[in-house]
Amino acid sequence: MASEQNGACFTFTWRLENADYCLQKKGEDIESPAFVVDEIHRTKWKLTRGAEDGNFISCYLSRDSDCTGEDTVEIIYELAFIALDGTILTSHNVLKHSFPVGGGYGYSEFEKREDVFMLKRSTFLAGGTLTTRCRIWKNLGDMAENVRCFALTRIGVEKRSFVWNLENFSTFQPEKECTYLIKSMDKNAELMTVNLSLVGGQNCEEIIHFKLTRHDQNVKYCALSLCLVDVRGREVKCHQDEFWFGKFDDSQRFTFMFSRQKLMMKKSMYLPGDILSLHWEWAFSKGIISEEIENVQCGYAVPKQTLLMIKYEKR
């Protein structure tokens, strides 16, 4: 239905730092810190961002299960992704819903994941931060004043970069493994090992395999970029990927784009001194390390606005 809505509102702005590394796996959700809207029966709310469909980012407003007030509260609200300067990047229709305790509404396909993390990354993820805004109005009557609430969730990320030089590569035996141990800068703790092995031989090409084994159970996700360094120090991008680790899933595997035979065909370029040089860049995520309400501002002035196209949408 169409309607007009003026007057004061409650604005909740949620910044998610290091949003690239917040476990954007299908079915994985991340929640904002809870916030209380005093003028709507002191009800408690939160935003939820997830990936029910791997191609889209979802966004919902939910009433917290630990919430006071009426059993059901009807509100008018708007969800948006915004830029650092407050410019709206993604916004759908203003909605009107009745929220039971623990209930939530919003959009399962709020924005394309590819747009946020790749095609329009510089716009959506300035400084690696994704900002979501929710504005809430009373359904009946007006709020006494405008209120702005700012929240921050920080994803813990440790980045490592190194060159792994594998000597005597042309005579490396298929039944053997080469291992590189990645350690954290924090207390020199072991993060992960990378094992290189060869599969094949004789009448077929020898394929280079890598096995990643997690040692720190706090690591839930990692992203890597792998380049081959040639004789002139130039880098050939070979592999870029991301991996998730579950409770009982401590290892992942992938295959190098060059076989040993293909490297040997350009030995003077790719194996100077019979050394295979691989440049690795890693980012390890340990999930949320902090979340807080940073600031609450009451009674600020905002331009008068008219909101159109209020309609019902089901979760």
Side-chain angles (χ1 to χ4, degrees), residues 293-313:
I293 299 295
E294 295 182 295
N295 189 14
V296 178
Q297 302 172 356
C298 301
Y300 71 97
V302 294
K304 188 175 181 179
Q305 300 185 37
T306 299
L307 301 174
L308 301 176
M309 296 300 294
I310 301 175
K311 72 175 187 179
Y312 289 88
E313 294 214 2

Side-chain angles (χ1 to χ4, degrees), residues 82-89 131:
I82 62 173
L84 290 178
D85 62 0
T87 303
I88 295 176
L89 303 176
T131 304

Side-chain angles (χ1 to χ4, degrees), residues 42-296:
R42 290 194 54 79
T43 45
K44 186 186 293 186
W45 306 80
K46 61 187 176 184
L47 295 180
T48 303
R49 216 214 70 195
E52 298 165 38
D53 180 328
N55 296 320
F56 288 88
I57 297 173
S58 62
C59 188
Y60 295 101
L61 172 65
S62 301
R63 194 173 167 197
D64 199 276
S65 55
D66 178 23
C67 185
T68 61
E70 303 291 332
D71 291 340
T72 301
V73 173
E74 189 171 50
I75 63 167
I76 296 168
Y77 67 101
E78 176 198 36
L79 300 172
F81 285 159
I82 62 173
L84 290 178
D85 62 0
T87 303
I88 295 176
L89 303 176
T90 301
S91 179
H92 296 274
N93 295 311
V94 177
L95 303 177
K96 180 179 180 180
H97 274 119
S98 294
F99 286 79
V101 175
Y105 295 95
Y107 302 90
S108 61
E109 298 182 356
F110 192 66
E111 182 57 89
K112 291 181 180 179
R113 189 173 186 270
E114 185 180 36
D115 284 348
V116 174
F117 294 103
M118 295 179 64
L119 301 180
K120 301 178 183 178
R121 176 187 172 84
S122 61
T123 301
F124 281 96
L125 294 178
T129 298
L130 179 63
T131 304
T132 308
R133 187 189 71 186
C134 174
R135 295 193 294 176
I136 298 174
W137 293 264
K138 282 185 174 181
N139 179 44
L140 298 174
D142 293 327
M143 292 189 179
E145 61 181 357
N146 290 296
V147 177
R148 291 192 297 192
C149 178
F150 298 88
L152 171 66
T153 297
R154 181 176 289 110
I155 305 298
V157 178
E158 181 172 348
K159 296 183 179 181
R160 299 297 310 277
S161 177
F162 56 85
V163 175
W164 185 9
N165 293 315
L166 294 108
E167 299 180 353
N168 303 315
F169 185 73
S170 63
T171 57
F172 181 72
Q173 299 300 310
E175 66 272 12
K176 294 185 178 181
E177 286 188 343
C178 278
T179 301
Y180 192 101
L181 175 61
I182 305 173
K183 292 187 176 182
S184 171
M185 298 301 293
D186 181 21
K187 300 179 181 179
N188 207 34
E190 296 181 359
L191 286 174
M192 186 172 295
T193 53
V194 183
N195 290 312
L196 179 150
S197 61
L198 295 175
V199 177
Q202 294 184 347
N203 298 324
C204 61
E205 287 191 316
E206 293 175 308
I207 306 302
I208 301 171
H209 285 277
F210 292 100
K211 179 182 178 182
L212 316 179
T213 303
R214 174 183 64 169
H215 295 290
D216 186 341
Q217 295 299 309
N218 292 317
V219 173
K220 309 298 183 184
Y221 163 91
C222 75
L224 70 86
S225 176
L226 173 59
C227 294
L228 170 65
V229 184
D230 69 17
V231 67
R232 298 178 182 177
R234 296 176 302 190
E235 296 189 349
V236 180
K237 184 167 288 189
C238 298
H239 196 83
Q240 187 164 339
D241 212 337
E242 53 186 1
F243 300 96
W244 288 267
F245 297 91
K247 186 176 181 180
F248 304 105
D249 186 14
D250 287 327
S251 64
Q252 300 284 354
R253 300 172 185 269
F254 70 92
T255 301
F256 197 50
M257 66 178 291
F258 292 108
S259 65
R260 177 153 68 173
Q261 283 78 0
K262 289 182 179 179
L263 292 173
M264 293 293 293
M265 289 173 63
K266 296 185 177 181
K267 185 175 181 179
S268 61
M269 177 65 71
Y270 293 149
L271 297 174
D274 203 17
I275 298 174
L276 175 63
S277 295
L278 302 175
H279 179 203
W280 298 79
E281 291 187 353
W282 295 80
F284 299 96
S285 172
K286 297 184 179 181
I288 296 173
I289 59 171
S290 66
E291 54 183 344
E292 60 182 337
I293 299 295
E294 295 182 295
N295 189 14
V296 178

